Amino acid sequence: MKWKGGQPAGEDESLCCCEYVDRQGEKSHLLACCCDCAELDQACDRWLKRESLDPGSVSRVAETVSDRLRVPWLSGARRVDLTVLPPLVLLPVLLHVAALHFLLGLVVLATLPALVLWYYYVTHRKKGRTLFFLSLGLFSLVYMYYLFLTEVVPKGDVGLLQLAAITVGLVLTLAALAQTKKDPGYLRSQPPPPPAGAHSTVTYPPERAGPGGVPNGARHEVLFLNGASHSELGRASGDQERVKKNWCPACRVVRPPRAGHCRICAACVQRLDHHCVWINSCVGQANHRCFLLTLLLFLLTALYGISLTLGSVCPRQSVLIALLYCPGVYQHYSSALCFTCAWYCSIVTGGLLHLFVLQLINVSYNVTEREARLALREKTGRRRLWGMIVDTGIYTRGFRKNWVDFLSMGGLGPLPQRLTDLV
């Protein structure tokens, strides 16, 4: 079925809330999402005839479905990433299935982390961006809070102050996460500042591009140091080598010390620590402190919520004993669901607690996760406590000064210059 309304979209043409520009550059409508499905029709026809599918047909069908899966928005229908949907469906289903029986709960709670780790391994190898982990984390927070309100609070064991503490903790965690999601410290190129001495700008044609990894046709700032001493010339030569060493051809910037290029975000970040899939962003100089604050708020809120839930489900047991042994909890489905969610939250909290401890150790030694991996790869760092501590010995200034530097470091340093040749 072919929709006849597809027209090329103009640059200044406004869209209503249900219209959008598809991947062919034509204006389309949400009501026409089932029209013009040539790829899907061909794939279904070959499947019904038991013929082999074209190797690229599945990818084309997936691209078409992904392009047409949209929601209405003020400035035009917004595209919905397909990786957002699986957690919204699988998490409630798996938790309710796990609450049916003890053995089912054991299988689900053992399989779910394994599947998440497997998907992380697959996406990490491909260096691709995905919203699966961010969707899983946000939906877990909201869904656990919903079950807490509908299953735990009606039992009468949670007071208003305790409910207010959980609510405030959840709101603060989401606010800190929103702040962490902002610019982590991306490096953006800018023209170099005018030097004190005479200078000249030279544009090399493609056939005369320099051999130092400089892009063809790049503009160079050439400084003429008239009457310079040998020490000044040597310092200029050293600066030239440093610039070429730290030059990022993808971002076209000169990286300052401790900056790194993230292949997932396709950008250079100041004091890059790592790319966190749970926030779908990098952790760098501008958001590292907010990242630690988000982890701390989540851990405090989750631990308090787990203790309240277990205290309501197993009032005669202590929290630690109730998590391991709670007799009769599977006699009522509501209690079994609360107990299953408490175990799920405990698994997630344990993983994030491990990450939080590693971050605290790295800050204490003034080393980033990226620097620790490079030191282990190049065998220049010292490992302690079964690899939890990696001491590079480069930037550390002692425990107290390392924490003072971390808490007082600015959001963004000076922007880097473009590649320059000093003569």
Side-chain angles (χ1 to χ4, degrees), residues 63-343:
E63 291 176 358
T64 302
V65 174
S66 177
D67 183 54
R68 298 183 181 184
L69 185 63
R70 296 173 181 263
V71 294
W73 202 254
L74 296 178
S75 58
R78 292 289 184 90
R79 183 174 176 179
V80 178
D81 197 313
L82 291 177
T83 58
V84 176
L85 302 180
L88 307 183
V89 178
L90 293 179
L91 184 62
V93 172
L94 292 178
L95 290 179
H96 281 78
V97 170
L100 295 175
H101 195 270
F102 168 73
L103 293 179
L104 288 175
L106 188 63
V107 171
V108 169
L109 293 176
T111 305
L112 186 58
L115 291 176
V116 173
L117 290 176
W118 171 79
Y119 186 70
Y120 169 76
Y121 176 75
V122 171
T123 55
H124 186 70
R125 286 187 59 186
K126 295 182 178 180
K127 301 297 180 183
R129 303 197 71 167
T130 176
L131 294 177
F132 174 85
F133 299 98
L134 179 61
S135 174
L136 178 61
L138 291 177
F139 184 66
S140 297
L141 282 174
V142 176
Y143 189 64
M144 292 301 105
Y145 183 71
Y146 167 76
L147 291 179
F148 185 81
L149 293 179
T150 57
E151 300 293 342
V152 179
V153 174
K155 296 180 183 296
D157 298 324
V158 178
L160 291 179
L161 291 179
Q162 295 170 325
L163 177 60
I166 293 295
T167 304
V168 171
L170 176 63
V171 172
L172 292 179
T173 301
L174 293 177
L177 177 61
Q179 187 68 24
T180 307
K181 283 282 295 176
K182 293 184 178 180
D183 187 358
Y186 292 122
L187 295 176
R188 298 175 179 87
S189 61
Q190 67 172 4
H199 68 280
S200 175
T201 301
V202 180
T203 302
Y204 290 97
E207 64 271 12
R208 294 183 58 187
V214 183
N216 291 336
R219 298 175 70 251
H220 293 251
E221 190 76 11
V222 182
L223 305 183
F224 298 93
L225 303 178
N226 297 325
S229 61
H230 291 286
S231 60
E232 292 176 341
L233 291 176
R235 185 165 54 253
S237 177
D239 291 340
Q240 179 184 2
E241 295 297 328
R242 179 187 61 82
V243 166
K244 290 183 178 181
K245 179 181 179 181
N246 296 329
W247 169 256
C248 178
C251 301
R252 302 177 64 84
V253 296
V254 179
R255 291 191 294 260
R258 311 193 74 176
H261 181 81
C262 176
R263 289 183 289 178
I264 298 177
C265 294
C268 288
V269 181
Q270 293 199 56
R271 198 182 180 276
L272 175 62
D273 189 83
H274 69 286
H275 180 91
C276 182
V277 295
W278 296 104
I279 65 174
N280 192 35
S281 178
C282 288
V283 176
Q285 179 173 320
N287 67 343
H288 201 166
R289 287 169 296 182
C290 290
F291 178 72
L292 290 185
L293 180 61
T294 304
L295 290 178
L296 178 61
L297 290 173
F298 171 81
L299 291 174
L300 294 177
T301 306
L303 291 174
Y304 189 54
I306 292 172
S307 64
L308 292 178
T309 302
L310 293 178
S312 177
V313 174
C314 301
R316 299 181 181 179
Q317 307 282 354
S318 63
V319 175
L320 293 179
I321 296 178
L323 191 61
L324 301 175
Y325 177 70
C326 186
V329 70
Y330 282 92
Q331 293 180 359
H332 303 281
Y333 183 77
S334 176
S335 299
L337 181 60
C338 295
F339 184 73
T340 302
C341 292
W343 256 107

Side-chain angles (χ1 to χ4, degrees), residues 3 5-10 13-37 63-80:
W3 184 54
Q7 297 178 355
E13 190 174 357
S14 60
L15 301 174
C16 75
C17 62
C18 295
E19 293 180 335
Y20 65 94
V21 179
D22 59 15
R23 58 194 182 101
Q24 280 82 24
E26 298 180 350
K27 182 192 291 188
S28 185
H29 197 278
L30 291 179
L31 296 180
C33 61
C34 297
C35 300
D36 192 15
C37 302
E63 291 176 358
T64 302
V65 174
S66 177
D67 183 54
R68 298 183 181 184
L69 185 63
R70 296 173 181 263
V71 294
W73 202 254
L74 296 178
S75 58
R78 292 289 184 90
R79 183 174 176 179
V80 178

